[in-house]
Amino acid sequence: MRHILRRRELVADDWAYLGEESAGDALIVPLAQLRAEEARWRAWSGRLGVRLTPADAPEELSAGLARLALVAVEFPTAGDGRGYSQARLLRGRLGFRGELRAVGAGVKQDQVFLLARCGFDALELAPGEDPEAARRALGRYTVGYQPGAATVQLERLRFPAP
Amino acid sequence: MYRYDDLDRAFIAQRVEEFRDQTRRHLAGELSEEEFRPLRLRNGLYLQRHAPMLRIAIPYGLLRAAQLRKLADIARRYDRGYGHFTTRQNLQLNWPSLAAVPDILAELATVEMHALQTSGNCVRNVTADHLAGIAPDEVDDPRPYCEIVRQWAALHPEFTYLPRKFKIAITGSPEDRAASEVHDIGLHMQRDGAGEIGFAVLVGGGLGRAPVIGALIREFLPLADLLGYLEAILRVYNRYGRRDNIHKARIKVLVKSLGAARFREEVEAEWLAGRASAPVLTQAEVERVRAFFRAQPYETLTDLDVTADREPRFLAWYRYNTSAHRMPGYRAVCVSLKAPGAAPGDATSEQMEALAALAERVSFGLIRVTHTQNLLLADVPQRELYAVWGELERLGLATANIGTLTDLIACPGLDFCSLANAGTLGVARDIQQRFGALDYLYDLGRIEIKMSGCMNACGHHHVGHIGILGVDKHGEEWYQISLGGSANGFTALGEVIGPSVPKAEVATTLERIVEVYRARRLEEEPFIDTVRRLGLEPFRAGAYASHPQAA
C-alpha cells in the first residue's frame, strides 16, 4: 500500500496510476495519454488526475483544469527543478486548487520544504524515505524571504505576496 | 553596511541546523555521496584534491572588521592559517575537515555570515563594483540592491535546483568594474528622466567553455519591478534551459539558441503574466536597506600633497595602490595580495587581523574584496596614507603593483582544485619572478593577466589583456595564451594567439609578447590599445620566435 504525506499527515493513497490495479475510481493519467484519448477521459466518470513530466507545459491543462482533482508532478531526480516552476504556475497563474502531488525519485526529505513552499500539498516520497523525517523537515524553517504557498506557514516573510 | 535583523538571524541559524543534520546523516551513511553532493554544494562545500574546500560568501565583497577577524580566527582554528580571496569576492578555505563544517557555519553566523549558495546550480553570491559608494562616476550605490537580491535569492523555493549555476552582478557606474557583462545577469544602474533608479538588464553573459558577452534585453527596468523581472528571467531559464548536457546548461546557451530577441519576448511575456503574483519590493523595504549604506561620517577635509619629500617606494605605492575618492582629503587604498612568491589572493590569519585593526583605525572599520583578488580600504584620510603604507609594508601587503602585470588573477589551479587541468600558482610565481623589477613593470603600464587552470574559467582568462589557460596534454601541463580581452567598460573576449606552450616557457613567452609591445607602442599607448591597433599577428610572430618546444 502506497502512502502519501498529505498536508503533514501520512495517509494511504486513494489514487491509482493508469495501469495499476485499483478498486477505487480515482485515476492518474499521463498528460500524453490524456491528450491522445481526450474523448475517453472526458467521459471518465470517476475522479481524474494527470501526471506531468518535467518537460510538460502546465499551460496545456488550463482549459481542462476544472475537471482535474489532482495534478502529479514528476521529479525524476532531486536536481531537476522544473517541477517547482510547474507548481508555481499551477497554483498561481492557473489557479489550480486540487491536490498537487510531487512524485518521483527526487522527492526526499531535503527537498520537501521547498516543494511545499511552491504549493505541493501531497508528497509521494521516494522509496526508502522516512516519512517522519520528511514531516520534521517541513517545519525546519520559521522564516523566509520570498512569498510562497500557504501549505507552509512561516512566521515572517521579507517580501510579501501582492 | 547591512546588519541582520531577527528574520535574517533566524534564517541563518535554521540553515546551519539543516546543514548540520545533512552532514550528520552523510557521515552516518544515511545519505550517499551522490545524495549529499548537491546539498553540500549549496553550502559552498567541495570535496577537493586534498581535502574539502569551503567557499564562504562575502556578499558584494564587503566586510566589517569583526567579520574579517572571524575569518582569520576560523582559518587558524579550522584550517592552516590562511584563506584565498576569489574573483567573485568570496573566501575559500582549502583544508577544513568535513565534520567541522557545521561548526564553521555556526561561527560564521555569529558575525552575520554564511556559505549559502556559493556553489551548486542555484543563484550564487551577488557581486558589485569594489568602488561602490565612493566612485566619482557612480549613478548610485549598487550595494543595497545587491543585498535585496541576495535576500530574494536565499533558498528561493522555485530556483534552488536550476539547470546550472547562476551569477548576478550589479554595477552602479558606467565603467563596469564588476565584469557584469560576463555574468548570467548583469544589472547596470541608470536614472530615468525623472531621476528614478532603474536598471539596464543584460542576460546570458559568461566565461567558461563558450565565452560570450551578455545581451541587453531591457533598457530600463524600474526598481519596483526588479524582483518580478528577475523571477521572469529565472522561470524561463528554469523551464527551458538545457539539463541534458552540463556544458550546455548555462543561460547563455538558451539565450543563444532562442536568439536574444526571442528570449526577450519570452521573458517579457512571462513577466506580464506573472507580475500580479511576483514578490513585492516596497519603497519602505528599499529605504530600510538603503539606510545601511548611507555615506560614512566623513570629516571635512581638503586634498593634501602627501608626496612631498617622500621616498620613491612610497611614491610608487601611492601612484599604483591608491585611487581617487569622491570626498576631498580621502583616498581608496588597495591592499595588494600579489606579493612576489605569494599565491594570488591568499592572505594569512595574521594579515587579516592586522588589516581589521587598521581598517578600524583609518577606514570606518570596513574592508572590501575586489574581483581582482585584492583587498581595499575604501575611505582612508590622506593624512594617514604614509602611516598606512608603513603598516602594509610591515605586513607584506604593500607591493606597489596594482594594475600592473604582476597584479595577476589566478584560480587555485591543479594544486587544490579537482576540476583543474593544470597548475596556476607555479606559473604565477614564475611570472612574478620574471617581471619582478618594478621599473620594468612600471614601464609596461597597465597589463591585466588572468589565468585559469581549466575551461571553467574561474580566473576569467577570456577577459584578460593577456589570458592564460591551463590545458592537459597527454598528462602534461601546457598553457594556451590569448590576447586582447578586457572586462572594464569595453568588454571584449581575447583571441588565442597560437599553439599552447609548456609550463617552463610561459614566462618567457609573455616576455616576448611584452617586448613586441615595447618595440611597437606609440607614446603612452597602453598595452591593450597596442594589441587592438596592431592585431595579433606581430605578437604571434614574436611569441613563437625561436620557440622549438611549442606544439
Side-chain angles (χ1 to χ4, degrees):
Chain A
M1 188 69 209
R2 185 165 56 221
H3 283 79
I4 303 291
L5 198 55
R6 186 178 285 155
R7 296 182 179 274
R8 302 201 187 194
E9 247 179 275
L10 196 65
V11 297
D13 191 4
D14 48 350
W15 287 80
Y17 291 99
L18 182 64
E20 287 179 338
E21 270 190 43
S22 158
D25 68 342
L27 196 62
I28 304 170
V29 178
L31 178 63
Q33 169 63 223
L34 204 63
R35 227 188 268 135
E37 296 186 62
E38 215 192 319
R40 174 183 168 197
W41 298 113
R42 200 178 308 128
W44 173 259
S45 61
R47 290 187 296 158
L48 188 63
V50 65
R51 178 171 173 142
L52 301 182
T53 68
D56 288 334
E59 290 91 337
E60 225 187 285
L61 298 174
S62 56
L65 213 51
R67 170 79 182 81
L68 296 169
L70 176 149
V71 178
V73 173
E74 221 170 275
F75 290 85
T77 65
D80 189 335
R82 286 176 284 185
Y84 294 94
S85 285
Q86 290 172 325
R88 290 290 292 262
L89 288 172
L90 282 162
R91 284 295 194 221
R93 200 169 309 164
L94 301 172
F96 179 62
R97 293 286 165 263
E99 177 168 321
L100 188 57
R101 175 187 294 195
V103 55
V107 183
K108 298 181 179 183
Q109 59 166 305
D110 293 298
Q111 278 74 42
V112 295
F113 177 74
L114 296 179
L115 290 169
R117 289 261 280 144
C118 283
F120 288 100
D121 54 1
L123 303 162
E124 185 176 327
L125 296 172
E129 282 292 292
D130 173 10
E132 261 320 300
R135 200 204 314 259
R136 278 197 304 275
L138 285 170
R140 186 157 267 154
Y141 288 88
T142 60
V143 297
Y145 291 95
Q146 318 77 2
T151 331
V152 180
Q153 291 291 343
L154 297 180
E155 291 163 16
R156 264 189 83 188
L157 281 183
R158 178 73 79 213
F159 305 109
Chain B
M1 127 169 232
Y2 185 75
R3 296 304 301 258
Y4 280 11
D5 68 357
D6 292 347
L7 190 160
D8 298 306
R9 268 190 293 273
F11 176 79
I12 284 302
Q14 290 162 9
R15 177 62 179 179
V16 170
E17 287 319 304
E18 179 176 39
F19 190 68
R20 192 182 292 285
D21 177 58
Q22 290 166 343
T23 306
R24 181 194 58 73
R25 282 187 281 135
H26 175 61
L27 292 173
E30 296 167 30
L31 262 181
S32 69
E33 166 52 21
E34 192 195 341
E35 291 171 302
F36 185 50
R37 187 170 179 278
L39 305 175
R40 65 171 163 76
L41 286 179
R42 278 164 183 75
N43 247 314
L45 183 63
Y46 287 75
L47 294 182
Q48 291 283 47
R49 203 165 283 276
H50 304 294
M53 181 274 275
L54 180 65
R55 184 182 290 150
I56 296 165
I58 303 175
Y60 35 93
L62 189 58
L63 286 166
R64 280 182 286 121
Q67 293 175 319
L68 187 57
R69 251 183 220 113
K70 175 57 79 179
L71 292 174
D73 174 53
I74 288 172
R76 186 180 290 120
R77 285 194 292 129
Y78 295 94
D79 205 287
R80 297 189 180 176
Y82 70 96
H84 173 76
F85 289 97
T86 77
T87 55
R88 298 206 75 258
Q89 304 178 311
N90 294 309
L91 181 81
Q92 293 182 178
L93 297 176
N94 281 312
W95 308 94
S97 87
L98 173 58
V101 170
D103 290 339
I104 297 176
L105 297 177
E107 297 253 7
L108 287 172
T110 64
V111 290
E112 304 175 3
M113 293 186 80
H114 60 73
L116 182 63
Q117 291 168 212
T118 54
S119 180
N121 297 335
C122 50
V123 181
R124 302 287 190 86
N125 189 22
V126 182
T127 54
D129 180 352
H130 60 272
L131 297 181
I134 60 164
D137 62 345
E138 193 167 78
V139 174
D140 194 17
D141 187 342
R143 294 170 302 176
Y145 313 104
C146 290
E147 178 58 32
I148 287 166
V149 173
R150 180 192 76 80
Q151 297 190 17
W152 160 80
L155 220 60
H156 195 293
E158 186 177 350
F159 305 126
T160 295
Y161 293 95
L162 296 170
R164 197 74 180 86
K165 59 187 170 183
F166 203 92
K167 300 176 181 179
I168 302 175
I170 309 181
T171 175
S173 295
E175 187 186 334
D176 178 13
R177 285 173 294 256
S180 67
E181 297 185 355
V182 289
H183 278 70
D184 295 289
I185 295 180
L187 298 171
H188 292 190
M189 301 198 65
Q190 322 268 322
R191 278 185 198 277
D192 67 6
E196 294 297 317
I197 290 288
F199 306 87
V201 182
L202 284 87
V203 178
L207 298 173
R209 239 158 250 270
V212 61
I213 292 166
L216 180 70
I217 64 162
R218 212 13 145 86
E219 304 262 349
F220 188 85
L221 177 71
L223 174 58
D225 295 330
L226 176 63
L227 300 183
Y229 205 77
L230 290 178
E231 295 221 338
I233 295 171
L234 265 297
R235 185 167 299 134
V236 169
Y237 173 53
N238 192 40
R239 294 184 70 188
Y240 304 115
R242 285 182 62 172
R243 293 172 186 266
D244 59 327
N245 179 342
I246 186 176
H247 302 309
K248 302 212 183 283
R250 295 287 291 269
I251 195 172
K252 64 189 172 186
V253 176
L254 178 64
V255 173
K256 197 171 171 216
S257 73
L258 291 177
R262 174 73 205 291
F263 180 82
R264 177 184 186 282
E265 283 168 28
E266 291 281 343
V267 169
E268 291 282 331
E270 177 57 44
W271 181 60
L272 288 174
R275 213 175 167 179
S277 56
V280 174
L281 178 57
T282 61
Q283 192 56 37
E285 177 58 14
V286 170
E287 289 311 321
R288 182 185 80 88
V289 178
R290 279 176 58 96
F292 288 104
F293 295 91
R294 270 198 285 264
Q296 300 295 347
Y298 294 115
E299 294 172 65
T300 308
L301 299 173
T302 50
D303 280 329
L304 303 174
D305 177 11
V306 298
T307 60
D309 300 325
R310 296 300 188 190
E311 58 267 58
R313 230 176 131 81
F314 171 77
L315 297 181
W317 176 82
Y318 176 80
R319 178 172 170 198
Y320 286 92
N321 292 24
T322 74
S323 55
H325 196 291
R326 66 181 174 79
M327 296 302 293
Y330 285 86
R331 296 284 282 182
V333 169
C334 194
V335 177
S336 174
L337 299 183
K338 312 292 174 64
D346 276 11
T348 65
S349 293
E350 291 70 27
Q351 287 173 327
M352 290 188 234
E353 282 161 353
L355 269 177
L358 189 60
E360 281 173 335
R361 211 171 75 227
V362 301
S363 197
F364 301 106
L366 295 175
I367 303 95
R368 302 176 184 211
V369 185
T370 76
H371 83 271
T372 53
Q373 299 177 294
N374 293 304
L375 301 176
L376 190 84
L377 299 172
D379 306 286
V380 180
Q382 291 168 2
R383 62 166 186 270
E384 301 282 358
L385 283 172
Y386 190 71
V388 167
W389 170 69
E391 173 71 355
L392 293 176
E393 277 272 314
R394 190 183 69 75
L395 295 168
L397 297 171
T399 310
N401 62 349
I402 299 305
T404 73
L405 185 144
T406 57
D407 180 18
L408 56 84
I409 286 182
C411 70
L414 193 61
D415 294 299
F416 294 103
C417 178
S418 50
L419 302 173
N421 292 319
T424 52
L425 303 182
V427 176
R429 260 193 308 276
D430 287 352
I431 294 170
Q432 283 162 340
Q433 262 163 23
R434 185 69 60 104
F435 294 88
L438 287 175
D439 287 344
Y440 183 52
L441 263 191
Y442 298 157
D443 177 59
L444 297 176
R446 184 165 195 91
I447 302 183
E448 296 176 5
I449 295 186
K450 300 182 196 280
M451 175 163 40
S452 311
C454 78
M455 285 307 284
N456 289 306
C458 295
H460 298 184
H461 62 277
H462 302 107
V463 290
H465 297 168
I466 301 176
I468 304 175
L469 168 66
V471 294
D472 172 88
K473 226 176 223 190
H474 315 297
E476 284 178 32
E477 299 162 65
W478 287 60
Y479 297 83
Q480 204 177 65
I481 292 166
S482 56
L483 290 181
S486 163
N488 293 321
F490 171 53
T491 306
L493 302 170
E495 246 185 281
V496 176
I497 60 164
S500 50
V501 299
K503 195 170 200 167
E505 296 283 333
V506 176
T508 305
T509 308
L510 295 196
E511 199 170 34
R512 290 188 176 127
I513 288 168
V514 302
E515 279 309 315
V516 173
Y517 159 65
R518 265 158 58 100
R520 302 285 300 270
R521 68 183 163 188
L522 305 175
E523 207 177 330
E524 301 285 306
E525 186 182 37
F527 176 79
I528 185 67
D529 292 355
T530 308
V531 172
R532 284 176 186 153
R533 180 171 56 82
L534 295 176
L536 292 195
E537 206 38 58
F539 294 95
R540 184 178 288 140
Y544 296 103
S546 62
H547 211 304
Q549 274 214 68

